[in-house]
Amino acid sequence: MNRTGTFSKPLQHDEASVPHASFVRKQVDPETSKYFTEIANVIEGSEIDLEERAVICGNALEEARGKEVQLATDYIISHTLQTLLEGCSVEHLCGFLRNCQSNFSLIAMDRSGSHVVETALKALAMHLQDTDNQSLIEDTLTTISRMIVVNPVDIMWNCYGSHVIRSLLCLCGGVPLDPSGFHSTKSSTVLAERLNSRVSPQSNNDLKNLQQRFPELLEFLVSEMLSCARKDMAVLRVNQYGSLVLQTSLKLLARQEQLLLDIVPVILGCSSENANEGNLIENTVVQKLLPLMEKTAFSHLMEVILEVAPDSLYEELFVKVFRNSLFPLSSQQCGNFVVQALISHARTKDQMDLIWVDLGTKLKDLFEMGRSGVVASLVAACERLHSHENKCSQALAAAVCAMDESPRCIVPRILFLDKYFSSEDKSNCYWPDGVKMHVVGSLILQTIFRLPCEFIQSYITSITSLEDSQVLEASKDACGSRVIEAFLSSNASSKQKRKLVIKLRGHFGELSVHSLGSFTVDKCFDASSASLRETIVSELVPVQKDLLKTKQGPYLLRKLDVEGFAKRPDQWKLRQASKQSVLKEFYDAFGPPETKSSKNKSFVADANRKSQPDRMQEIRKEIDNSLVNVAPHFGNQFLAHQTSKKAKNSGRKRPRERTSRARDARGGGDLGNKKKKKHNRNG
């Protein structure tokens, strides 16, 4: 709404023409304005107990009856209304919303009124914690929904109304009404999910952990909105705000396959006549969809469709729309994100075969176009589905390393991806000074080191050939440190891992107090031999006080038992030997964990099921705790018993070092720590 009190045309992300009704707002009369000013002074300027506050707020809302539109759309009084709605009883809250029903659309599409409605919806969500209120709240939401579906289009493509509808949808779907949460996912979070750096949205999404509050009302609201908006769908799906409403609706219905099979064709512009599973997308519609991928709003919408689509619908979209078009789409600024989504949500090896035919030989071209995200998604999908893993590894190496060049340049060039492909003298581009390591390049290498070791020997040769100073620099970099840790957690041999660890000798103390290097020290310790572990701990002894001041320091001090080493090195060695002995006994009794991580990792993992490395980590912790608890009570008797067992088993080979799971403390990595930004469409 502009200063004259009429609705102006909202900013459009695309050139779609959107009609808008005008609305002239009535001024609030002076007496009413004075009353609400006095109410604001009472409830904001003094200490009032909750019961008295609820009574005052309820009485004030009674005075607002019949004047809801004028008050909610007034810039000053709307703030007072928000305070009243937060402090009143659920009965007065629902009464206010029901009184707004005839003018709900006008209030929702107003700059001030939309905030009033969203505050009311958030207050309803709080009252839902009391199950006695559920029936009253459901009746109120049903009343509002019935008013919205009469003419939903104006609200859907309005910049303020879009927020209101999405909040209402989330309330019905049981999702927190947090603007930084469900309906505004960070692009960095999406990227991390696609590249297997965190659990996929289909297993880790809040929707899987939340019970829908009002599933029938949600289904009614979405179905009726889309039914009424069918004739305007061509505009809605390329409109920034309309697209967001459609995306939220699809995410909330992610588990309802039949409903998705009904509504996705409607969103794509298909008719419902003669539609059946496997033939939902009409050929006439297919020809119109590819050009729309260049539109930002539609490309976001298509990404969500590919994420939530049932298998049969995904297969139909893949074959009819995307097959043989992946490379041209990848060259587009917006289309390449759709390709990333398509690859990341591929379901079968047959689909991966077709994707590989389109893109497998064009990795270098994609890098040169700046589409490293497409390459990263392809590498991750190959690893996830165990399809074309060896070919993918070789093709990636060939994209950055010529046949006549040494493989030692592979890892540095992927770490500095942009610098390498923008360099005129590529043959001499190895390890540039003062250049930040590439985020997507780091994620690609992390995925590569999850592949079977027989497929990645050139990468292992490359990373173990780094200079000592380069390994140290990488260990202090947000992207480089994760690559180092991924290698140390890989299936490479212990000898190859120790070759890299030795390059950091003399710098473990320095790294341990570094916010990123401390995680590398942890992984180095796990991958080291007994003598190398002793070296690492000895370098941490002088920095114990500094470690206590860091976030990761206390954990390192406990895990490595630095204080115990400083006081009694001999007993520390015996405890370390005891841990290894207990681990070996466990392996002998129950069998070792699966050594090929590629066999037990899944992109779509069960959030409630713990992986084998996770279970092994827990076992290690139990062993550590048992040793710490037993040693003070039994002292030398326990250690002597373990020593005698070691002597009896001296003829046996030492068990191979096991690596624990990747750190949880850093969550989604450097990507997840960035502040929320608008989705940047630069590939």
Side-chain angles (χ1 to χ4, degrees):
M1 178 173 290
N2 57 29
R3 292 182 182 274
T4 65
T6 60
F7 283 114
S8 58
K9 184 176 179 178
L11 296 174
Q12 296 300 310
H13 206 86
D14 296 286
E15 297 78 8
S17 176
V18 181
H20 295 277
S22 60
F23 161 64
V24 179
R25 183 180 60 204
K26 295 180 180 179
Q27 296 295 322
V28 179
D29 64 84
E31 185 177 347
T32 302
S33 180
K34 180 182 178 181
Y35 172 79
F36 280 96
T37 300
E38 293 174 352
I39 288 294
N41 293 333
V42 170
I43 60 179
E44 295 176 5
S46 59
E47 293 290 336
I48 305 175
D49 63 62
L50 292 178
E51 290 187 6
E52 184 180 355
R53 184 184 184 86
V55 171
I56 294 174
C57 291
N59 291 337
L61 289 175
E62 288 291 339
E63 291 295 324
R65 186 185 296 272
K67 306 173 186 177
E68 289 84 5
V69 178
Q70 297 97 306
L71 296 175
T73 57
D74 183 272
Y75 181 75
I76 301 297
I77 299 179
S78 65
H79 288 82
T80 304
L81 268 184
Q82 288 179 247
T83 304
L84 296 176
L85 292 170
E86 290 172 338
C88 70
S89 66
V90 65
E91 290 80 12
H92 281 104
L93 178 60
C94 291
F96 175 84
L97 286 172
R98 284 195 298 270
N99 293 336
C100 292
Q101 61 178 302
S102 58
N103 295 302
F104 186 84
S105 297
L106 296 177
I107 297 173
M109 292 189 290
D110 180 77
R111 180 184 63 178
S112 299
S114 62
H115 288 287
V116 172
V117 175
E118 289 194 73
T119 298
L121 294 176
K122 290 179 181 178
L124 285 179
M126 294 298 295
H127 285 294
L128 276 173
Q129 295 176 7
D130 185 350
T131 55
D132 294 339
N133 299 327
Q134 183 150 335
S135 178
L136 175 60
I137 293 174
E138 184 174 12
D139 291 342
T140 302
L141 294 178
T142 301
T143 300
I144 295 173
S145 299
R146 291 187 184 282
M147 294 304 302
I148 289 176
V149 299
V150 172
N151 183 22
V153 176
D154 285 343
I155 308 180
M156 291 173 71
W157 59 34
N158 178 271
C159 59
Y160 305 118
S162 172
H163 280 282
V164 171
I165 288 190
R166 282 181 278 153
S167 295
L168 178 59
L169 288 167
C170 288
L171 180 57
C172 294
V175 175
L177 277 65
D178 181 3
S180 63
F182 175 75
H183 45 256
S184 57
T185 305
K186 295 180 183 179
S187 59
S188 59
T189 302
V190 174
L191 180 63
E193 289 168 347
R194 287 179 181 168
L195 303 188
N196 291 355
S197 294
R198 58 174 64 189
V199 182
S200 79
Q202 293 189 352
S203 62
N204 196 35
N205 200 305
D206 286 342
L207 294 177
K208 297 298 182 183
N209 302 320
L210 292 172
Q211 188 69 31
Q212 290 185 348
R213 294 284 190 180
F214 310 109
E216 293 181 359
L217 181 56
L218 175 64
E219 183 176 341
F220 164 79
L221 182 57
V222 173
S223 300
E224 291 299 315
M225 276 198 312
L226 296 183
S227 177
C228 295
R230 183 188 287 268
K231 65 180 186 301
D232 297 300
M233 194 59 67
V235 178
L236 277 173
R237 64 191 181 206
V238 295
N239 173 266
Q240 179 183 1
Y241 306 109
S243 174
L244 286 169
V245 173
L246 297 175
Q247 292 173 49
T248 301
S249 301
L250 290 170
K251 289 179 181 179
L252 289 167
L253 298 173
R255 292 172 290 181
Q256 302 186 35
E257 292 194 359
Q258 187 54 53
L259 191 56
L260 287 169
L261 292 173
D262 293 336
I263 67 175
V264 170
V266 173
I267 293 174
L268 296 179
C270 301
S271 64
S272 57
E273 299 176 2
N274 302 321
N276 53 71
E277 191 168 336
N279 191 32
L280 296 172
I281 312 299
E282 302 162 2
N283 292 330
T284 55
V285 172
V286 170
Q287 299 171 5
K288 300 176 183 178
L289 291 179
L290 284 177
L292 292 177
M293 306 295 176
E294 298 183 44
K295 306 286 187 180
T296 304
F298 184 81
S299 66
H300 280 296
L301 177 59
M302 182 55 74
E303 290 176 50
V304 176
I305 289 174
L306 292 170
E307 175 186 333
V308 304
D311 291 348
S312 60
L313 180 57
Y314 177 93
E315 174 71 17
E316 188 174 353
L317 284 168
F318 183 92
V319 173
K320 290 185 176 181
V321 180
F322 294 102
R323 186 178 180 181
N324 300 325
S325 299
L326 296 184
F327 186 70
L329 277 175
S330 298
S331 65
Q332 298 175 7
Q333 188 165 352
C334 295
N336 85 91
F337 287 92
V338 179
V339 174
Q340 291 181 43
L342 180 82
I343 297 171
S344 297
H345 298 290
R347 320 294 167 90
T348 66
K349 291 186 177 182
D350 290 340
Q351 292 166 356
M352 276 306 303
D353 290 341
L354 297 174
I355 292 172
W356 186 259
V357 169
D358 271 13
L359 299 176
T361 60
K362 299 181 175 67
L363 301 193
K364 186 175 182 180
D365 297 328
L366 291 168
F367 279 137
E368 290 174 343
M369 291 190 298
R371 307 305 182 210
S372 56
V374 176
V375 177
S377 297
L378 180 61
V379 175
C382 288
E383 186 268 337
R384 171 171 58 90
L385 294 172
H386 309 305
S387 174
H388 300 277
E389 291 173 292
N390 194 19
K391 290 181 180 179
C392 184
S393 174
Q394 293 177 3
L396 178 63
V400 297
C401 180
M403 292 291 292
D404 57 347
E405 290 183 301
S406 169
R408 66 189 296 267
C409 67
I410 294 175
V411 168
R413 287 179 179 176
I414 297 178
L415 271 178
F416 297 98
L417 208 52
D418 283 349
K419 182 65 177 177
Y420 171 69
F421 280 100
S422 63
S423 174
E424 295 181 0
D425 185 11
K426 289 183 171 55
S427 60
N428 292 322
C429 184
Y430 179 67
W431 193 278
D433 294 328
V435 178
K436 189 176 180 180
M437 296 179 187
H438 196 265
V439 172
V440 179
S442 168
L443 290 167
I444 290 173
L445 287 172
Q446 291 175 53
T447 306
I448 283 293
F449 285 122
R450 292 202 295 267
L451 298 178
C453 60
E454 60 266 25
F455 297 157
I456 57 172
Q457 286 303 312
S458 57
Y459 297 87
I460 294 174
T461 299
S462 179
I463 197 169
T464 55
S465 299
L466 294 175
E467 301 291 336
D468 295 6
S469 60
Q470 293 165 352
V471 177
L472 179 61
E473 181 182 344
S475 299
K476 294 180 178 180
D477 183 271
C479 299
S481 62
R482 284 195 165 266
V483 173
I484 299 293
E485 293 159 30
F487 168 69
L488 294 175
S489 300
S490 71
N491 295 316
S493 68
S494 298
K495 181 179 179 180
Q496 291 168 322
K497 293 177 183 179
R498 288 196 291 270
K499 185 177 179 181
L500 183 74
V501 173
I502 289 172
K503 295 177 184 290
L504 292 172
R505 191 156 46 191
H507 298 283
F508 291 113
E510 172 189 353
L511 283 175
S512 66
V513 296
H514 191 277
S515 59
L516 298 170
S518 59
F519 295 99
T520 305
V521 173
D522 187 8
K523 291 294 181 185
C524 287
F525 185 83
D526 289 340
S528 296
S529 61
S531 59
L532 200 47
R533 286 186 175 191
E534 185 177 347
T535 299
I536 294 173
V537 178
S538 66
E539 293 186 25
L540 266 58
V541 171
V543 295
Q544 289 184 77
K545 291 183 179 180
D546 294 329
L547 277 171
L548 289 172
K549 301 174 184 178
T550 66
K551 185 176 181 179
Q552 182 75 355
Y555 166 77
L556 274 180
L557 290 172
R558 287 195 306 272
K559 177 179 177 178
L560 276 61
D561 189 16
V562 178
E563 185 178 3
F565 177 85
K567 291 180 178 179
R568 296 182 177 180
D570 292 338
Q571 288 196 10
W572 181 90
K573 294 177 186 178
L574 290 174
R575 284 195 294 271
Q576 290 296 314
S578 298
K579 291 178 184 180
Q580 294 303 315
S581 175
V582 175
L583 278 173
K584 186 181 184 305
E585 289 179 7
F586 174 82
Y587 295 155
D588 290 343
F590 300 103
E594 184 68 53
T595 57
K596 293 186 182 249
S597 61
S598 61
K599 299 297 182 186
N600 58 24
K601 285 185 179 281
S602 173
F603 185 77
V604 184
D606 184 349
N608 296 321
R609 182 187 302 168
K610 296 184 178 179
S611 65
Q612 187 81 327
D614 290 349
R615 292 198 298 272
M616 297 312 304
Q617 178 75 352
E618 290 186 350
I619 292 167
R620 284 178 179 273
K621 288 181 179 178
E622 290 177 7
I623 292 171
D624 290 345
N625 291 335
S626 67
L627 290 175
V628 170
N629 294 331
V630 169
H633 295 290
F634 297 97
N636 295 331
Q637 293 181 3
F638 176 79
L639 296 174
H641 172 66
Q642 295 295 332
T643 305
S644 64
K645 287 174 67 177
K646 180 180 177 183
K648 292 179 182 179
N649 297 327
S650 59
R652 298 181 183 177
K653 292 184 179 179
R654 188 170 180 271
R656 182 164 54 178
E657 297 290 341
R658 304 289 176 184
T659 57
S660 63
R661 61 181 175 180
R663 63 192 179 271
D664 289 330
R666 292 205 289 184
D670 185 58
L671 292 174
N673 294 331
K674 292 181 180 177
K675 294 182 179 179
K676 180 173 67 177
K677 296 180 180 179
K678 191 175 289 184
H679 198 155
N680 182 19
R681 289 296 195 177
N682 58 11

